Amino acid sequence: MYSTCAGTHQARLRNVLDLYISNSEDLVSHVSISDTPLSDHRRVEIFLSYNPCSPTHSDPPDFIDSSFRSLDFNKADFSSINDMLSSVDWAQLINLCDKEDFPELFTLITLQICQIGCPKKIPPKTQTRSSVRIPSRRKRKLQTQLEAAKINPHSPPTQIESLNRKLALAHMDIRDAINQDLLYREQQAVSKVKENPKYFYSYAKKFSKKKSNISMLFDGNGAIKSNPKDIANLLQNQFLSVFSDPSKTRIDSASFSPPPIKHPFTDDMLNFSVDDIIKAIEDIKPNAASGPDEI
């Protein structure tokens, strides 16, 4: 049901009011009115935040087999992984290779150990079949039968009345099936709060009211740009305008005063111990995304 009035504009002289109505505040990103020689009614252009003619489809993630991203650490046997990591003579490996090559060797050995104690991820191939499909098919079948019965002059009134009752029951079944699906998905998300928090937050994010989406921008000449490449170039130029070019021999001074430094950098900050590294590793979220090194 569309309930939110997105805007009103006078499009014909001063006595006609055009309405465009939407159930989402972020659906309409811009509205413009311009004169046209074809009519005394001015042209109203409404820009949407998405293209309904070419909806986007989410593809299943593509995991590389020889990477940490292909492993499901939510089901890993960390005790066996710790035992295998402790059994490796890291000091001997450091002496056998150059210091520049040791990070690559360390990553390779760690990946091999994790592959033993951790199962691989199974990317979703198809979506779970919804219980709404069966009553929806029954509803379409009843609608076809009802239309045929109304066209047929020999159809008794009792048949049309019976089809109307069955169609009303089909609508109720669809409503109940939708509520059951929503309840099942909510229960699945709540049950995985501790086991897989990422699944819970991705489910909760679907119901967020505000979503940032840039569908169009105006360039310096006032022209509308909706192509993603043009939007990216406009944003890049905007951000570059507030930063200096490191290749310049002369750098212009900033037009604003720098913020006060409460904790200045000292050489003591470069001193860290093994315990500091262990503590930093423990602070890493287990469900955080991997970096360029796939760790």
Side-chain angles (χ1 to χ4, degrees):
M1 180 177 180
Y2 297 90
S3 58
T4 302
C5 182
T8 60
H9 290 277
Q10 292 179 347
R12 186 175 185 271
L13 301 179
R14 293 184 178 275
N15 53 1
V16 176
L17 192 66
D18 281 8
L19 302 176
Y20 54 91
I21 301 175
S22 170
N23 61 345
S24 175
E25 296 180 359
D26 300 328
L27 181 62
V28 178
S29 58
H30 179 70
V31 177
S32 64
I33 300 178
S34 59
D35 296 329
T36 173
L38 301 178
S39 173
D40 60 346
H41 193 291
R42 290 190 291 176
R43 181 176 58 189
V44 180
E45 292 180 306
I46 302 176
F47 292 84
L48 304 179
S49 57
Y50 76 103
N51 188 357
C53 298
S54 58
T56 57
H57 300 281
S58 58
D59 298 326
D62 185 15
F63 300 116
I64 303 175
D65 293 336
S66 59
S67 67
F68 290 94
R69 292 193 62 192
S70 63
L71 304 178
D72 189 358
F73 284 95
N74 292 312
K75 301 178 181 179
D77 186 1
F78 289 104
S79 60
S80 63
I81 292 177
N82 291 332
D83 294 339
M84 287 185 285
L85 289 174
S86 302
S87 63
V88 178
D89 191 351
W90 299 106
Q92 183 181 3
L93 292 176
I94 293 175
N95 297 327
L96 292 177
C97 63
D98 297 334
K99 293 183 178 180
E100 292 80 6
D101 298 334
F102 178 73
E104 183 178 356
L105 180 62
F106 172 79
T107 303
L108 180 60
I109 295 176
T110 307
L111 175 60
Q112 292 175 349
I113 293 175
C114 292
Q115 287 176 340
I116 297 174
C118 185
K120 289 188 175 182
K121 291 180 181 178
I122 302 176
K125 295 182 180 179
T126 56
Q127 296 182 351
T128 305
R129 297 191 64 179
S130 173
S131 58
V132 184
R133 296 183 179 181
I134 296 177
S136 296
R137 286 198 295 265
R138 185 166 64 250
K139 184 197 75 171
R140 291 193 295 268
K141 184 177 180 180
L142 289 172
Q143 286 178 337
T144 303
Q145 294 177 357
L146 181 60
E147 292 175 359
K150 290 180 177 179
I151 296 175
N152 188 2
H154 302 289
S155 298
T158 55
Q159 181 184 1
I160 297 177
E161 184 180 357
S162 175
L163 290 174
N164 281 322
R165 286 198 300 265
K166 291 180 180 179
L167 189 60
L169 292 175
H171 283 102
M172 297 178 62
D173 291 340
I174 293 175
R175 180 200 60 189
D176 295 339
I178 292 175
N179 292 332
Q180 290 177 2
D181 278 356
L182 293 176
L183 180 61
Y184 172 77
R185 294 175 184 177
E186 182 177 346
Q187 291 175 348
Q188 286 289 104
V190 172
S191 63
K192 296 183 179 181
V193 171
K194 295 183 178 180
E195 178 186 353
N196 189 3
K198 184 182 292 186
Y199 178 86
F200 172 79
Y201 287 114
S202 68
Y203 173 80
K205 191 177 180 181
K206 296 178 182 178
F207 301 95
S208 60
K209 295 182 179 179
K210 296 291 183 180
K211 294 183 180 181
S212 59
N213 186 13
I214 301 176
S215 59
M216 52 159 289
L217 289 175
F218 291 93
D219 61 5
N221 299 324
I224 297 175
K225 300 295 181 181
S226 58
N227 186 277
K229 184 177 180 180
D230 296 336
I231 293 176
N233 292 333
L234 289 174
L235 292 175
Q236 183 183 19
N237 295 333
Q238 174 64 24
F239 289 123
L240 287 177
S241 63
V242 298
F243 290 98
S244 60
D245 187 0
S247 62
K248 287 184 178 181
T249 57
R250 180 180 178 181
I251 299 178
D252 299 331
S253 59
S255 58
F256 54 88
S257 59
I261 300 176
K262 296 182 179 180
H263 304 284
F265 180 81
T266 60
D267 295 337
D268 297 336
M269 295 181 180
L270 297 176
N271 298 327
F272 52 88
S273 61
V274 177
D275 295 335
D276 295 333
I277 298 177
I278 294 176
K279 185 178 182 304
I281 294 175
E282 291 177 350
D283 292 339
I284 298 177
K285 296 180 180 179
N287 291 316
S290 59
D293 53 1
E294 297 293 338
I295 296 179

